[in-house]
Amino acid sequence: MSIGNSPDDHSSDDNSPQDERLSVEDDQPSVGEALRQARIAAGLTVDDVSNATRVRIAIVHAIEQDDFGPCGGDVYARGHIKTLARAVDLDPAALLARYDAAHGGRPAPTPAAPMFEAERIRPERRGPNWTAAMVAAIVAVIGFVGFTMFSGDEDDGKTTQVAEGSTPTASKPAKTKPTPTKPDTPKSDPSDAIAAAPQDKVTVQVSAPDGRSWISAKDHNGRLLFDGLLEQGDSKTFQDKEKVDLVLGDAGAIQLYVNGKKIDDEFQPGQVERLTYTKGDPEVG
């Protein structure tokens, strides 16, 4: 006599496909990591992707580190993700779904109802009250004529008194003392911090007083000295015995001092600059 197995006997061995799918999805890389891996697999550099997509180098670096703040909002972040995904031959829809899941879903479109509601309750403009304006003008003219006639009689008496009396003396203008000007307080030169740089080396100071920018610095052997974001208010100083190569992701936010002297190049916001400085600079190499 055989006894049938109850459903409970197989409950411990039942691995549902949903559990397997969840474990696979948990192992998937983040949006930034997926874009970075695909770029490397395609043999592309960040400069190559930036030139092909017109997305700034600093934003490409930030997205690959899953920092979507520089994009300026979810709408722009989704647009950059779609553009970068196509450049490295990835499916944009899958990456956008992963981004939306991690950031509270796809942003809802702005409803148009409040705008129309504001139009309905806007008060009507009324034209000027010309009748009241004309009455006010007539009253003003009558008052002016009466005042002129009355003041004319008084002026005749005053004129006679002046003619019969002594000649009035003209009043002397009051003397004003010149206000002493304070001498301008000399401003400190930020280059004083590196003015004593050694002459047998090239010294480059990079600071971000007005914003942040991605920067890269290499020595004369091509060795990477720094590669990353320079936050607003931060500064970096690099030295080498021959030269320093720089790449500025947003040159408009950067201030440079080379061998103790300020570089006065007018870089534009968002402009990418590649610069080389040697011991004989501050001229750009």
Side-chain angles (χ1 to χ4, degrees):
M1 180 178 179
S2 61
I3 300 176
N5 293 330
S6 64
D8 295 338
D9 294 338
H10 299 282
S11 60
S12 61
D13 297 333
D14 186 12
N15 294 326
S16 64
Q18 182 178 0
D19 295 337
E20 295 179 358
R21 185 170 63 256
L22 290 175
S23 63
V24 172
E25 292 177 352
D26 292 341
D27 294 337
Q28 290 182 348
S30 64
V31 174
E33 184 64 19
L35 290 172
R36 190 183 70 85
Q37 292 177 358
R39 174 180 61 78
I40 295 175
L44 300 175
T45 65
V46 173
D47 289 358
D48 296 335
V49 174
S50 176
N51 293 332
T53 61
R54 300 296 182 182
V55 178
R56 288 189 291 159
I57 293 177
I59 294 180
V60 176
H61 273 283
I63 290 177
E64 289 190 355
Q65 296 173 6
D66 292 306
D67 178 14
F68 301 96
C71 296
D74 288 340
V75 175
Y76 296 102
R78 298 177 88 260
H80 289 325
I81 292 172
K82 184 184 296 184
T83 301
L84 297 178
R86 290 173 177 170
V88 296
D89 200 20
L90 283 180
D91 180 16
L95 291 182
L96 290 175
R98 200 174 309 170
Y99 174 85
D100 293 340
H103 293 79
R106 183 172 184 176
T110 304
M115 180 176 64
F116 294 112
E117 191 69 23
E119 290 290 336
R120 285 201 299 269
I121 65 176
R122 182 179 298 174
E124 291 182 87
R125 292 185 178 179
R126 297 183 179 180
N129 192 340
W130 294 109
T131 302
M134 292 178 63
V135 172
I138 293 173
V139 172
V141 170
I142 295 174
F144 177 77
V145 172
F147 175 78
T148 303
M149 294 176 64
F150 178 75
S151 62
D153 294 337
E154 292 184 351
D155 291 338
D156 291 339
K158 293 179 180 179
T159 304
T160 303
Q161 292 178 1
V162 172
E164 294 175 353
S166 60
T167 303
T169 58
S171 59
K172 297 181 179 180
K175 295 182 179 180
T176 59
K177 296 182 179 180
T179 303
T181 58
K182 296 182 179 180
D184 294 335
T185 303
K187 298 181 180 180
S188 60
D189 190 352
S191 64
D192 292 342
I194 58 173
Q199 297 182 356
D200 59 341
K201 293 182 180 181
V202 55
T203 303
V204 178
Q205 185 189 62
V206 184
S207 60
D210 302 325
R212 66 176 188 171
S213 172
W214 171 84
I215 66 172
S216 174
K218 295 181 180 180
D219 62 8
H220 72 284
N221 290 323
R223 183 172 61 91
L224 190 64
L225 301 176
F226 180 80
D227 182 84
L229 288 175
L230 191 67
E231 298 292 341
Q232 182 176 358
D234 291 346
S235 64
K236 294 285 186 182
T237 302
F238 310 106
Q239 280 189 343
D240 188 72
K241 61 182 181 180
E242 293 185 11
K243 69 174 182 176
V244 174
D245 294 324
L246 291 177
V247 179
L248 308 179
D250 187 355
I254 293 300
Q255 179 62 65
L256 294 177
Y257 290 89
V258 178
N259 296 325
K261 297 181 181 179
K262 182 180 178 181
I263 302 301
D264 293 326
D265 291 338
E266 296 181 355
F267 299 128
Q268 299 299 320
Q271 181 178 356
V272 179
E273 287 289 338
R274 292 171 175 83
L275 307 169
T276 299
Y277 294 105
T278 63
K279 292 181 291 185
D281 285 330
E283 296 180 355
V284 179

